[in-house]
Amino acid sequence: MKIGIVGYGNLGRGVESAVQLAGDMELVAIFTRRDPSTVKVASDAPVVSMDKLDEMAEDIDVMILCGGSATDLPEMTPQIAAKCNVVDSFDTHANIPQHLAAVDAQASKAGNIGIISVGWDPGLFSVARLYANAALPKGDDYTFWGKGVSQGHSDAIRRIDGVVDARQYTIPVEESVNKVRAGEHPQLTTRQKHTRECFVVAEEGADTKAIEEAIVTMPNYFADYDTTVKFITQEEMDSEHSGLPHGGSVLRSGMTGVDGQFNNTVEFSLNLESNPFFTGSVLTAVARAAVRMNAEGVTGAKTIFDIPPYCLAETPREELIAHML
Amino acid sequence: MKIGIVGYGNLGRGVESAVQLAGDMELVAIFTRRDPSTVKVASDAPVVSMDKLDEMAEDIDVMILCGGSATDLPEMTPQIAAKCNVVDSFDTHANIPQHLAAVDAQASKAGNIGIISVGWDPGLFSVARLYANAALPKGDDYTFWGKGVSQGHSDAIRRIDGVVDARQYTIPVEESVNKVRAGEHPQLTTRQKHTRECFVVAEEGADTKAIEEAIVTMPNYFADYDTTVKFITQEEMDSEHSGLPHGGSVLRSGMTGVDGQFNNTVEFSLNLESNPFFTGSVLTAVARAAVRMNAEGVTGAKTIFDIPPYCLAETPREELIAHML
């Protein structure tokens, strides 16, 4: 399968690496809006200007889109779906139906498939929720994120006066997770689900009390959480907090029996040393499914809910059934 | 959807209950090889002799087969697949390819679908392994079962001279599970993965030392495990050990990055108060998928690997995408 990558940030690097590890894939090109001569990539794939995408699209089986959900993907995914099969990681949950419709219009017309909102949430977490809900129609869903770095929250701290660098970890409240696991079906407030731990490098002479206050009272981002703030040096930041770990758990606690007499807990958990590399790896598996499904005549906008799982694996279906079922 | 159940043991009761809870299903009949007048069921569904199955099959959208894997299903599933869409829980892992072929021959010819080996293992555990392997092609798989009742092991104890009743719990070794979760990629022996806890009611005056010895040295079943045996009264057995709880965890610990520099752990866990009721609930969700897939022209023998997940849920696809993705 001939693969193209569009966009080369952390996620693009993760996809590049996953494609290199796949025995059935060839990385044809990495497309960038920057001057290609300034983009140094980890593989020996050619870096090509976005202007060349249209003419190269016909030699590519699927394009893996590694732009951001805020502004890149809403434009980029429908546009490129008109030229080629695509996979993206659009993760603005509230706008998924709208994005699906926009991609569907272009992909259907062109006879391509566009699989959107792929990664782990949305993505593997979503499909875990779906299996758990199908098996336990009566019950309660819970999602806990972390321990992991939230880039949005880290950026929010960096915008505060006097802050040089910041890293924010989202941490699930263990006591609440255990209540769910124990089948207690708790009703949890925002504060009871997650805490937020912030590491901050301040400018020399900055008012750290004022910075801490600005963080913990910040609406939406921190005010509803128990937030701790630690000031550290840039050296500590670089040596201790340079990774992008993440993860979390999807749980469903639900009843079987006509009278709901049996409680059951289904849990799906991820513990990832690198969020973008894992997300890139999921996108790559879904890109394989996109090519296979399109070859079988499937067109239009799809999600992970539409993919027969065997299509994701390099191993052939018969072998999966014999050895993994 | 019109549902038939074939066989009415613990699993049949679980399916019956799950079908009653489904808003889109109607339980048309429960088929039995016993004299129907002797079978008392929990719902108001008619109990019908197996002899009537052929003539009633055309009014049923899917038949959920609740027989045993040893002798019932290898004969029953292909036979009934020639008449009707079917779903079964065939769980003799080594014979799955052979069973798939036998069901495929009959189902394909008749234009029906037969989804085999459905439940949690094989079933949800299998599909969890598949997603984890697709996302992490480089890595190690681990499956831990329990804490839960193994009916095969309980039966093996009951066959020992002087034993009146027995219940065997399979228990994962927590220390080993934690090593896997910590990304240590351990190589685990049989003994390091599970322990076995046995509760036994002995005949009055029986030689309990001899019974214990017969249990812990029993090849295949117990000899390779750390096994504990406790003798209890029938009253204790009935009050403390009448349930059929089970569960377990599928873990994959795998690397991302071309040099395998990032470790990641994917875990899928179940904690079930009633194994047969949960398994019945999964079979029922898959029965829904069978009807939908067959209506879209899919025929032949399939597995959970072939099912687009959205087909499993009562909730329509658009709603799943809007609210669960």
Side-chain angles (χ1 to χ4, degrees), chain B residues 61-65 76-88 103 107 112-116 286-287 290 300:
Chain B
D61 294 315
V62 59
M63 210 74 87
I64 305 179
L65 311 186
M76 196 183 264
T77 312
Q79 223 166 62
I80 303 180
K83 316 279 176 193
C84 191
N85 297 317
V86 296
V87 171
D88 82 14
V103 175
N112 294 328
I113 190 170
I115 308 186
I116 65 156
V286 171

Side-chain angles (χ1 to χ4, degrees), chain A residues 2-251:
Chain A
K2 293 181 195 308
I3 311 288
I5 293 175
V6 181
Y8 195 72
N10 283 327
L11 182 57
R13 281 184 196 91
V15 172
E16 177 188 33
S17 167
V19 172
Q20 285 179 273
L21 289 172
D24 55 350
M25 293 184 171
E26 181 198 344
L27 182 52
V28 173
I30 295 172
F31 295 92
T32 180
R33 283 177 298 206
R34 292 177 270 168
D35 172 357
S37 69
T38 67
V39 178
K40 204 174 135 46
V41 302
S43 63
D44 52 12
V47 181
V48 178
S49 166
M50 283 291 279
D51 306 338
K52 297 266 168 64
L53 192 144
D54 281 16
E55 62 186 82
M56 288 184 72
E58 66 184 49
D59 295 325
I60 288 175
D61 294 315
V62 58
M63 210 74 89
I64 305 179
L65 310 186
C66 300
S69 295
T71 55
D72 297 339
L73 298 175
E75 291 222 342
M76 197 183 265
T77 311
Q79 226 167 59
I80 303 179
K83 316 280 175 192
C84 192
N85 297 318
V86 296
V87 171
D88 82 14
S89 64
F90 184 78
D91 66 357
T92 312
H93 289 258
N95 298 342
I96 285 175
Q98 187 183 331
H99 187 58
L100 188 86
V103 175
D104 193 57
Q106 298 302 320
S108 294
K109 203 161 55 183
N112 294 328
I113 191 170
I115 308 186
I116 66 157
S117 300
V118 168
W120 56 276
D121 195 6
L124 295 186
F125 270 20
S126 321
V127 86
R129 276 180 211 116
L130 177 40
Y131 282 107
N133 274 267
L136 298 170
K138 277 171 55 171
D140 297 299
D141 285 315
Y142 299 88
T143 304
F144 295 95
W145 292 275
K147 182 179 177 173
V149 173
S150 164
Q151 304 204 58
H153 287 78
S154 301
D155 290 343
I157 300 173
R158 284 192 204 100
R159 287 191 291 265
I160 296 171
D161 262 3
V163 171
V164 176
D165 199 359
R167 194 63 43 106
Q168 194 269 185
Y169 294 92
T170 306
I171 303 170
V173 177
E174 198 60 26
E175 191 193 336
S176 298
V177 180
N178 287 336
K179 277 186 186 166
V180 175
R181 284 188 186 136
E184 294 180 26
H185 296 260
Q187 294 257 10
L188 300 170
T189 63
T190 298
R191 194 175 298 274
Q192 287 170 319
K193 280 189 273 195
H194 299 92
T195 57
R196 299 198 176 277
E197 191 178 16
C198 312
F199 293 89
V200 180
V201 180
E203 281 172 13
E204 226 183 287
D207 181 347
T208 57
K209 273 277 161 222
I211 292 172
E212 178 166 350
E213 187 64 17
I215 295 172
V216 301
T217 60
M218 197 186 293
N220 302 319
Y221 284 87
F222 294 101
D224 298 334
Y225 299 85
D226 289 338
T227 302
T228 55
V229 179
K230 285 180 198 160
F231 290 91
I232 61 174
T233 64
Q234 187 68 56
E235 290 69 39
E236 286 172 293
M237 181 66 78
D238 296 341
S239 68
E240 306 292 321
H241 304 285
S242 63
L244 291 170
H246 219 316
S249 300
V250 165
L251 293 115

